[in-house]
């Protein structure tokens, strides 16, 4: 039962239930306990209910398939959002200005994967987007889905990764032929900002522990500054347990005892590795939602491997797994303050996974993307 219902006097609640004798609720009296058929985890916030524009970047490879899946489900739900579509591809030299302008105007974007060319002079558009919009926090939620067998149970990890500096600063140059220097930049400002985001997230979502991932035993100044910043912020949240772990030990612990982790805060490169490892443990990148969040803008995408656009065979057979982006779009709905729509979508996706009849190949099934989408639409209450 939701918190508002708990605070309501029993007499008023009883009268509400009796007056509302319809199919949406069930009226069972166990002493003073009242049980609802549907659990309501979020109460809709007051607002004008006007549909919100969202910038949509289908991307490369399986991107158009999975973003198309989201569009279908949103339409079936009558969700109060509409999409402004832009064609962006990973082999472009930069993100077009009109796309950035659209995201700045709408403040929210949903995107498929953008392929990152290896080597050469073309930089990653995924990284460009994060830097241009100052999307300083990457958030990936890795958790067990009911009905999906994995090697470990009780996995519920949130990886919060600094998104704008570190090894991804892009500051590389050839000193002399055959010698390349790559700079890792760590600043107090960005480190404290990501630490504060991690602790705020933990506090607001009733999480118990924040773990800082580092390699300060070797990179004493750079990762040392990151740790100092985390320790400073941790003192302001005495109710949340704080600990630290070296990144190599972290990877070993993740694959052996992942249930020990709760919220993890990391510099840029380590976060990428840790999030992908955690996603693999909990069911794969095809089911893990995520987003990149800044002070003013948010871009939601598949949680791990933003540059993973699937194989040509998956695109050709149309068997891409839409679950990760569907759950990411539920995060987006909650971000837009449409929590009841987010709950409906998450419940439907989890029901389809739990029943096990419609699953794509990566989850041990043989369904197409469209069959999974149809099942999710049918499961919407």
């Amino acid at each position: 039962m939701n918190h508002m219902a708990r605070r309501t006097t029993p007499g008023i609640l009883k009268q509400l239930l009796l007056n509302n004798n319809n199919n949406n609720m069930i009226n069972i009296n166990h002493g003073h306990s009242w049980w609802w058929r549907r659990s309501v985890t979020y109460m809709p916030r007051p607002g004008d209910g006007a549909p919100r524009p969202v910038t949509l970047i289908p991307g490369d490879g399986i991107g158009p398939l999975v973003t198309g899946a989201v569009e279908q489900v949103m339409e079936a739900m009558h969700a109060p959002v509409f999409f402004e579509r832009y064609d962006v591809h990973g082999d472009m030299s930069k993100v077009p200005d009109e796309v950035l302008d659209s995201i700045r105007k709408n403040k929210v974007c949903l995107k498929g994967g953008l392929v990152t060319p290896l080597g050469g002079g073309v930089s990653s558009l995924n990284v460009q987007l994060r830097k241009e919009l100052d999307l300083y926090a990457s958030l990936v939620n890795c958790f067990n889905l009911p009905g999906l067998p994995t090697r470990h149970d009780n996995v519920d990890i949130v990886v919060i990764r600094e998104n704008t500096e570190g090894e991804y600063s892009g500051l590389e140059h050839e000193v002399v032929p055959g010698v390349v220097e790559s700079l890792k930049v760590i600043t107090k400002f960005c480190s404290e900002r990501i630490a504060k985001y991690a602790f705020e997230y933990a506090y607001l979502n009733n999480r118990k522990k924040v773990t800082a991932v580092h390699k300060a035993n070797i990179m004493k100044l750079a990762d040392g500054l990151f740790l100092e910043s985390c320790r400073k912020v941790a003192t302001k949240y005495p109710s949340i347990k704080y600990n630290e772990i070296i990144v190599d030990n972290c990877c070993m612990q993740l694959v052996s005892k992942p249930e020990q982790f709760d919220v993890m805060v990391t510099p840029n490169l380590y976060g990428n590795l840790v999030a992908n490892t955690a996603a693999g443990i909990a069911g794969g990148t095809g089911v893990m939602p995520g987003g990149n969040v800044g002070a003013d803008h948010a871009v939601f995408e598949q949680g791990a491997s933003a540059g993973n656009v699937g194989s040509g065979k998956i695109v050709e057979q149309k068997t891409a797994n839409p679950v990760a982006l569907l759950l990411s779009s539920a995060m987006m709905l909650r971000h837009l303050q449409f929590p009841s729509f987010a709950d409906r979508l998450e419940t439907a996706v989890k029901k389809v996974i739990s029943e096990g009849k419609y699953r794509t190949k990566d989850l041990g099934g043989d369904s197409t993307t469209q069959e999974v989408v149809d099942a999710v639409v049918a499961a919407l209450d």
Side-chain angles (χ1 to χ4, degrees):
M1 188 182 295
N2 63 65
H3 295 300
M4 287 188 72
R6 270 207 295 271
R7 287 198 292 267
T8 312
T9 59
I12 295 173
L13 178 56
K14 185 174 180 180
Q15 195 60 44
L16 281 170
L17 287 166
L18 292 173
N19 288 348
N20 225 330
N21 188 17
N22 57 30
N23 293 330
N24 289 332
M25 55 185 75
I26 192 164
N27 178 355
I28 303 172
N29 193 351
H30 296 294
H32 293 293
S33 299
W34 293 85
W35 299 88
W36 298 70
R37 179 175 292 166
R38 277 184 61 217
S39 63
V40 182
T41 53
Y42 291 83
M43 293 301 293
R45 301 184 195 182
D48 58 8
R52 290 287 302 271
V54 173
T55 305
L56 179 68
I57 301 174
D60 300 312
I62 63 171
L65 262 179
V66 291
T67 53
V70 171
E71 287 183 282
Q72 288 182 59
V73 175
M74 290 289 180
E75 189 175 339
M77 290 172 69
H78 303 290
V81 297
F82 62 93
F83 294 104
E84 295 177 3
R85 180 192 295 265
Y86 290 90
D87 281 329
V88 180
H89 300 286
D91 56 2
M92 292 179 171
S93 60
K94 70 185 197 71
V95 180
D97 290 338
E98 61 266 25
V99 177
L100 292 171
D101 291 342
S102 173
I103 300 174
R104 288 189 179 106
K105 172 177 68 77
N106 298 333
K107 301 194 181 306
V108 177
C109 172
L110 184 73
K111 69 179 275 289
L114 290 171
V115 71
T116 300
L118 297 176
V122 181
S123 64
S124 166
L125 296 196
N126 296 303
V127 175
Q128 270 189 42
L129 262 179
R130 295 166 198 161
K131 287 187 176 177
E132 285 285 341
L133 301 169
D134 197 23
L135 305 173
Y136 65 86
S138 165
L139 188 149
V140 182
N141 191 1
C142 303
F143 56 93
N144 290 124
L145 282 161
L148 188 65
T150 57
R151 286 191 177 88
H152 298 277
D153 298 323
N154 305 316
V155 177
D156 187 5
I157 302 169
V158 175
V159 181
I160 294 173
R161 158 192 174 196
E162 206 294 317
N163 230 358
T164 59
E165 57 176 21
E167 296 84 353
Y168 286 51
S169 301
L171 300 173
E172 295 184 315
H173 63 277
E174 193 171 39
V175 184
V176 294
V179 179
V180 172
E181 189 173 62
S182 180
L183 300 180
K184 168 177 174 171
V185 177
I186 297 283
T187 64
K188 180 181 178 184
F189 173 79
C190 289
S191 298
E192 287 187 0
R193 182 170 66 167
I194 197 67
K196 189 167 191 297
Y197 184 91
F199 277 94
E200 277 292 303
Y201 180 92
Y203 178 76
L204 292 172
N205 290 277
N206 199 27
R207 297 276 183 160
K208 307 301 182 195
K209 182 170 72 171
V210 173
T211 302
V213 182
H214 67 95
K215 191 66 177 169
N217 56 326
I218 303 298
M219 285 170 261
K220 299 183 187 298
L221 288 177
D223 285 19
L225 177 57
F226 177 78
L227 278 189
E228 275 178 37
S229 303
C230 290
R231 289 168 187 165
K232 179 181 175 184
V233 172
T235 60
K236 298 173 183 174
Y237 296 85
S239 62
I240 297 169
K241 186 180 176 185
Y242 169 71
N243 66 347
E244 299 164 358
I245 188 167
I246 296 172
V247 64
D248 38 0
N249 182 33
C250 172
C251 292
M252 190 271 287
Q253 295 288 338
L254 261 177
V255 297
S256 56
K257 292 193 292 182
E259 62 279 355
Q260 68 183 288
F261 295 108
D262 192 353
V263 174
M264 306 175 80
V265 60
T266 77
N268 209 332
L269 177 62
Y270 309 154
N272 197 1
L273 307 176
V274 167
N276 277 270
T277 306
I281 288 162
T285 57
V287 293
M288 297 301 135
N292 298 286
V293 184
D296 300 310
H297 312 97
V299 174
F300 295 90
E301 61 189 349
Q302 178 176 297
S305 300
N308 179 11
V309 295
S311 68
K313 187 177 179 183
I314 292 175
V315 176
E316 188 181 321
Q317 296 176 346
K318 298 186 176 178
T319 56
N321 191 345
V323 169
L325 204 65
L326 285 171
L327 292 176
S328 296
S329 65
M331 287 174 66
M332 179 189 77
L333 287 169
R334 198 162 281 124
H335 177 80
L336 290 170
Q337 299 185 6
F338 298 127
S340 51
F341 284 93
D343 284 346
R344 282 182 67 204
L345 178 51
E346 282 179 350
T347 303
V349 170
K350 288 175 181 176
K351 183 179 178 184
V352 170
I353 294 285
S354 179
E355 288 173 351
K357 188 177 177 185
Y358 296 100
R359 289 182 183 172
T360 49
K361 190 174 180 180
D362 60 312
L363 301 184
D366 58 3
S367 301
T368 64
T369 307
Q370 191 58 51
E371 286 169 343
V372 175
V373 172
D374 293 342
V376 170
V377 169
L380 289 168
D381 56 6

